[in-house]
Amino acid sequence: MPVYARWFVEYDCVDDLVSLLHSDLLHDHPFLPIGGGSNLLFVHERYEGVLLHSAIQSIDVLRETDSELFVKVGSGVVWDDFVAHCVDRGWGGAENLSHIPGEVGASAVQNIGAYGVEVKDIIHEVETIEVVTGHPRVFQNAECEYGYRSSIFKHALKGKYIVTAVTYRLQKNPTLHLDYGNLRSSLPEGDITIADVRRAVIDIRRSKLPEPDECGSAGSFFMNPVIPVEQYEKLRLIYPDMPHYTVDQTRVKVPAGWLIDRCGWKGKEEGGAAVYEKQCLVLVNKKDARPDDVVRLAEKIKRSVQDTYGITINPEVNYIE
Ligand code: EPU
């Protein structure tokens, strides 16, 4: 969408970020660290502040054992370039997360996930700079409070730290995760490699999701809601085909795409924004959409799912005022 920022500033090392944090520009104006921007919705057509973008590009093996490698990656590395780098070298762990738009820094904030794997499963530690002081702080995985599409950086410490690098823990003899959805049936018979998994995931994503450079979208617009088992059991009496994934003994996750689809939203338009025909969880810029169109469409969808099922769905996309 045609959204403009007053300033866009890029830094390619931690020292430059620290200097920027002490600069008049950032003292005098609001600022927002961004990655690839693929999960952001600017709700106005101008952002009157500074967009800060990491161009820290390093990929370094810090140490390795017979079975594992610890690889430190700069926050500005394009996520899928890193996945390709790992798969090319036979390092396992990231392959199910192939072809997700965005950058390494945001991967650790959003806890990106797909096909039965979340990035928290391979994050060892996250290096950051504290915004107020400019001091470095390293968060161990357990300190990041990871949950489904969430982390401490999105909630309790939102806006307080900027990620500069992420260290991932990868496997030399990878265990494959093939049990999610139709992943296994999309793979060839016989011995499967992580390169096969990457290829299959890319094919599935291409068949279901719009390509970011062909059609504007933010991937899944909503998160899949997590509801109590009792509520799900009651709904299942009315909607026996409602899919679900078990979260734990008391909670299940219901696909928001299914809920939105069954409310009749497939292909519906609001101004230039629309619900993607092949996957209702995705809102697309069909023709000259403006931020307002997307906000209105998302609100209507949310209300209709609430009225029909009594389930609240929340955006995965971050709204920026
Ligand atoms: N469904 C419908 N109609 C639709 C869309 C989905 O009936 O329009 C049904 C499907 O038939 C299926 C179920 O809903 O039974 C789930 O759909 P799907 O497998 O496509 O996955 P999802 O739950 O919609 C999640 C992630 C995706 C991730 C896939 C694969 C969220 C919010 N989304 O989608 O993540 O790629 O699983 O793991 O958790 C993203 O975050 O941007 C993203 C694309």
Side-chain angles (χ1 to χ4, degrees):
M1 287 185 291
V3 174
Y4 297 90
R6 184 139 177 226
W7 289 279
F8 179 87
V9 182
E10 208 162 47
Y11 52 91
D12 59 10
C13 65
V14 174
D15 288 348
D16 281 0
L17 170 60
V18 174
S19 308
L20 268 169
L21 288 171
H22 291 128
S23 69
D24 289 345
L25 182 68
L26 295 204
H27 274 143
D28 297 345
H29 300 94
F31 60 91
L32 176 74
I34 66 164
S38 46
N39 245 319
L40 303 181
L41 174 64
F42 287 86
V43 300
H44 306 295
E45 290 179 27
R46 275 188 69 86
Y47 176 72
E48 294 296 344
V50 187
L51 295 184
L52 269 185
H53 182 247
S54 165
I56 303 176
Q57 290 293 343
S58 48
I59 301 184
D60 298 304
V61 176
L62 295 186
R63 59 182 190 278
E64 54 187 297
T65 66
D66 288 347
S67 57
E68 289 181 334
L69 297 118
F70 292 81
V71 185
K72 177 172 160 176
V73 189
S75 50
V77 171
V78 169
W79 169 257
D80 197 53
D81 291 351
F82 169 61
V83 178
H85 183 96
C86 295
V87 170
D88 287 348
R89 287 160 181 74
W91 306 341
E95 58 280 357
N96 289 44
L97 305 177
S98 289
H99 211 49
I100 295 181
E103 296 172 1
V104 160
S107 78
V109 175
Q110 285 286 105
N111 187 21
I112 57 173
Y115 304 101
V117 173
E118 292 180 316
V119 78
K120 74 167 171 57
D121 304 333
I122 57 166
I123 285 181
H124 173 60
E125 62 187 26
V126 180
E127 292 184 26
T128 68
I129 293 294
E130 188 177 21
V131 168
V132 173
T133 60
H135 294 161
R137 177 168 167 192
V138 179
F139 289 78
Q140 297 305 309
N141 180 309
E143 294 174 286
C144 298
E145 298 182 4
Y146 282 124
Y148 168 57
R149 296 293 194 277
S150 89
S151 73
I152 197 164
F153 308 112
K154 270 185 90 174
H155 298 288
L157 298 183
K158 187 172 179 179
K160 304 253 186 278
Y161 291 86
I162 296 178
V163 177
T164 53
V166 182
T167 300
Y168 300 95
R169 181 180 183 154
L170 299 161
Q171 307 300 319
K172 290 185 177 172
N173 302 301
T175 311
L176 302 181
H177 300 276
L178 308 179
D179 291 329
Y180 187 96
N182 54 349
L183 182 53
R184 192 181 290 272
S185 61
S186 313
L187 285 158
E189 298 282 314
D191 287 345
I192 306 291
T193 65
I194 56 174
D196 297 324
V197 175
R198 174 167 167 78
R199 220 167 294 123
V201 166
I202 291 176
D203 287 348
I204 298 172
R205 289 186 72 94
R206 286 211 168 115
S207 71
K208 280 191 180 180
L209 300 169
E211 287 294 305
D213 40 7
E214 288 165 17
C215 171
S217 92
S220 300
F221 194 90
F222 295 97
M223 289 186 282
N224 288 331
V226 175
I227 61 172
V229 172
E230 300 84 57
Q231 185 182 7
Y232 170 72
E233 293 299 345
K234 279 186 199 151
L235 285 166
R236 200 166 63 155
L237 297 175
I238 313 169
Y239 310 102
D241 59 338
M242 182 184 276
H244 74 290
Y245 316 105
T246 301
V247 175
D248 55 32
Q249 282 185 331
T250 59
R251 298 176 305 162
V252 300
K253 203 190 270 180
V254 178
W258 186 94
L259 298 170
I260 297 167
D261 194 349
R262 293 307 186 281
C263 287
W265 283 101
K266 187 171 280 180
K268 289 273 160 58
E269 296 176 22
E270 178 75 35
V275 178
Y276 191 51
E277 293 277 356
K278 294 189 217 165
Q279 163 60 289
C280 289
L281 196 48
V282 178
L283 305 187
V284 291
N285 178 355
K286 190 148 185 197
K287 191 171 181 299
D288 303 329
R290 312 185 87 95
D292 262 4
D293 300 334
V294 181
V295 171
R296 273 199 318 278
L297 180 59
E299 270 168 14
K300 287 184 178 175
I301 292 172
K302 182 174 168 136
R303 213 173 311 128
S304 112
V305 169
Q306 181 78 50
D307 292 347
T308 310
Y309 299 100
I311 294 177
T312 307
I313 54 171
N314 289 312
E316 175 182 325
V317 169
N318 300 296
Y319 284 48
I320 310 298
E321 289 290 334

